[in-house]
Amino acid sequence: MAYSGGGRHTVQQPRRMPVPAAPSGTVPTGKTSASGKPGARKATWWDHAGPLAVVFAGGPDGSRGDLVLPARVPQQPGQWARVEHFLSNPGRWHKVDLVRRRKASAPGGWVYEAHLMILGPGYTAPSVRAMREQAATLDRIGGVDGNVSNVCAVSFPSSLDPSDGAPASTEITLSPEEQALLEREAKKRRGRARALERSRRATNTAQYGLSKKQATRAERREAKGLGPKAVSVPGGARAARDARVDGAPKQAFRRDRLSVNYREQRARQAERAASMAEHRRHRARQVAREIIAALARECQAAAGRLVRASTWSTALSQHCLCGERVSKTLRDREHSCPACGLAGKRDLISAALAAFVRFADVDDPKTAYLDTTSSRHAQIVFAQGLEEALRESTAPSQTTVRGAGHAAVPRQRRGTSAPRTAGRRSRATPDETRPKRDHAGKPGHRPGCNPQLTLW
């Protein structure tokens, strides 16, 4: 039985594993017959006390007998505690789920597996339980700002008193392996774009000038009395109209001659770009759901609660702790306030502001608003300590041997256990009723107010 995480195990027919023998003999029933003799019955697989096995009974009317599959459990010291948690209770019910997954090397292209589903609470390591118990005793408030590239969390003492503790910040970023993967993908995109540009230039040589290197070479040949050399791909700027001062091209791009290969490559690139865009949108939604679910579980385990706030009514990334509105684009990853001079990472600033979000109705994210009075007070009382926490993470170690950021961007595992079906579709099919979108979006009409005087 190969372990696959959580409360699920995959039962596979192993090689060179002996099949447990069926129980034989009789088993006392604990009752007595009319003559006073102790009652007994024939032993069945319910009386098996040997190695773990999964038995598919043929049934009372079956003639093929029972199918017995020996199970292999993890033997590593770090995994045995999980196995003992799930399988040590004889009164706990389990469920066997038959699934299949695609595998090109298998006969027929499919692999059939049996998943042993443990119907009970999940396993929690002792270190995690101790951490949650310690977190439950802390009287702190915090905020979390997350996106597909990183997750930032900043917390303060709930009393906003420096004697009760200092601000703490944590930043989970992409691992070096994930950053290298993104760089490779970006390099491939740039290479495909350059290939298209070279093809256009080679087909429309009259519309482009020579590059500096090509022009220097032509001058050297002319000085030596040699004839000009034909340039198949000019590397200079687009030929512009002489009468125009704005640098408009002499010939519109839509009038260029395009080769068959160019058209095919352009179509493939457009198809690939659309697919990647859809993948990024789906990936962003998936990562957001996983982050929210993980945070909700941790907050509940630590006797707390995760509350969602609308970004329309709070605009955390566009404000400073002093209450000043500091507009930033998505490209701007650093925060610098012209009013109070606070500087730090944009995501850490947003996470700190999230700790001071208030609600007219805590169950309605649209009623969220930013309490700038409290955030300004925290900025004053914590002073230098808060600025240091907003510049860099105060966590003791953010980069490990395996890399950081696996919670923010879960690793795409390959060769894992099979899902219940061969494929999954996260959105509704055309014949299904699409769910109503009622997310934490733009709130209703609200009278204008100065963010520095927001007290409601």
Side-chain angles (χ1 to χ4, degrees):
M1 182 173 65
Y3 180 73
S4 63
R8 172 176 295 213
H9 299 267
T10 303
V11 180
Q12 299 176 341
Q13 181 62 41
R15 299 178 181 177
R16 302 178 183 177
M17 275 193 69
V19 178
S24 59
T26 59
V27 177
T29 60
K31 301 179 181 179
T32 57
S33 61
S35 61
K37 296 181 179 181
R41 61 173 176 81
K42 183 180 179 180
T44 63
W45 280 107
W46 289 101
D47 306 308
H48 175 68
L52 182 64
V54 177
V55 181
F56 296 91
D61 300 330
S63 60
R64 295 187 178 183
D66 300 333
L67 175 61
V68 183
L69 298 178
R72 179 180 285 118
V73 298
Q75 300 297 325
Q76 297 85 351
Q79 295 288 340
W80 182 249
R82 302 174 65 93
V83 176
E84 187 178 10
H85 169 78
F86 290 117
L87 303 179
S88 61
N89 185 2
R92 179 175 296 166
W93 282 89
H94 305 326
K95 173 187 175 184
V96 176
D97 190 12
L98 301 179
V99 298
R100 68 175 184 174
R101 61 182 176 89
R102 291 188 179 273
K103 188 175 181 181
S105 60
W110 293 91
V111 172
Y112 296 85
E113 298 175 344
H115 288 189
L116 180 61
M117 309 293 295
I118 286 78
L119 306 181
Y123 171 76
T124 305
S127 59
V128 176
R129 291 197 298 267
M131 179 185 64
R132 289 174 174 174
E133 292 174 359
Q134 181 183 4
T137 60
L138 300 177
D139 189 15
R140 298 177 69 90
I141 57 174
V144 178
D145 178 84
N147 50 59
V148 294
S149 60
N150 59 65
V151 175
C152 295
V154 179
S155 66
F156 303 85
S158 60
S159 61
L160 297 182
D161 188 354
S163 61
D164 295 337
S169 62
T170 301
E171 185 180 14
I172 305 176
T173 58
L174 290 173
S175 65
E177 293 81 3
E178 291 164 337
Q179 292 178 353
L181 177 61
L182 294 178
E183 289 294 335
R184 289 196 297 269
E185 294 295 333
K187 186 177 180 180
K188 291 180 180 179
R189 291 195 298 270
R190 292 193 298 267
R192 289 191 290 264
R194 286 196 298 267
L196 285 177
E197 181 66 15
R198 287 194 300 268
S199 177
R200 179 186 286 271
R201 288 174 177 269
T203 312
N204 303 270
T205 56
Q207 304 301 325
Y208 294 91
L210 300 178
S211 65
K212 292 182 179 180
K213 184 177 180 180
Q214 292 170 345
T216 303
R217 184 179 60 183
E219 292 175 359
R220 288 200 305 264
R221 292 182 62 87
E222 183 180 0
K224 294 179 181 180
L226 302 176
K229 186 176 181 179
V231 178
S232 59
V233 182
R238 180 91 175 186
R241 296 181 181 178
D242 298 334
R244 296 287 295 270
V245 296
D246 57 354
K250 182 170 57 176
Q251 176 176 295
F253 285 90
R254 67 178 180 274
R255 299 186 182 276
D256 287 352
R257 293 185 298 108
L258 303 178
S259 64
V260 176
N261 178 65
Y262 180 92
R263 297 178 186 274
E264 292 180 356
Q265 293 298 330
R266 184 177 61 179
R268 292 179 182 178
Q269 186 174 1
E271 180 183 0
R272 189 182 296 108
S275 176
M276 290 300 298
E278 178 63 23
H279 171 73
R280 286 193 295 267
R281 287 191 292 268
H282 172 73
R283 177 70 172 156
R285 292 190 293 266
Q286 179 183 0
V287 171
R289 288 193 295 266
E290 293 177 356
I291 291 175
I292 292 175
L295 290 175
R297 289 194 299 267
E298 291 299 324
C299 291
Q300 185 178 5
R305 180 183 178 185
L306 177 68
V307 181
R308 299 174 59 189
S310 171
T311 57
W312 285 88
S313 58
T314 55
L316 301 179
S317 62
Q318 307 297 322
H319 282 89
C320 180
L321 270 74
C322 66
E324 186 72 17
R325 188 175 184 91
V326 183
S327 299
K328 293 183 285 290
T329 63
L330 289 177
R331 186 182 296 271
D332 302 327
R333 308 314 302 174
E334 296 292 329
H335 172 89
S336 180
C337 180
C340 65
L342 178 64
K345 293 186 176 182
R346 168 182 179 155
D347 298 328
L348 289 175
I349 298 290
S350 300
L353 286 172
F356 303 101
V357 171
R358 306 292 182 260
F359 297 85
D361 183 4
V362 72
D363 295 324
D364 187 2
K366 298 179 183 179
T367 62
Y369 62 92
L370 182 60
D371 185 1
T372 55
T373 303
S374 299
S375 63
R376 177 59 176 167
H377 174 70
Q379 183 183 10
I380 295 174
V381 297
F382 291 106
Q384 186 65 25
L386 177 58
E387 293 186 6
E388 294 177 355
L390 297 180
R391 289 195 186 100
E392 295 293 339
S393 172
T394 60
S397 176
Q398 286 300 308
T399 303
T400 62
V401 177
R402 295 184 58 189
H406 297 289
V409 183
R411 184 179 299 276
Q412 296 296 311
R413 297 179 296 177
R414 298 180 179 177
T416 55
S417 301
R420 288 185 57 88
T421 56
R424 292 184 179 180
R425 185 177 177 91
S426 59
R427 52 183 183 177
T429 53
D431 58 345
E432 290 181 346
T433 303
R434 296 184 179 272
K436 179 182 178 181
R437 285 193 172 184
D438 190 18
H439 55 82
K442 186 175 180 180
H445 175 71
R446 180 173 292 181
C449 59
N450 189 336
Q452 296 183 354
L453 301 178
T454 303
L455 302 177
W456 41 273

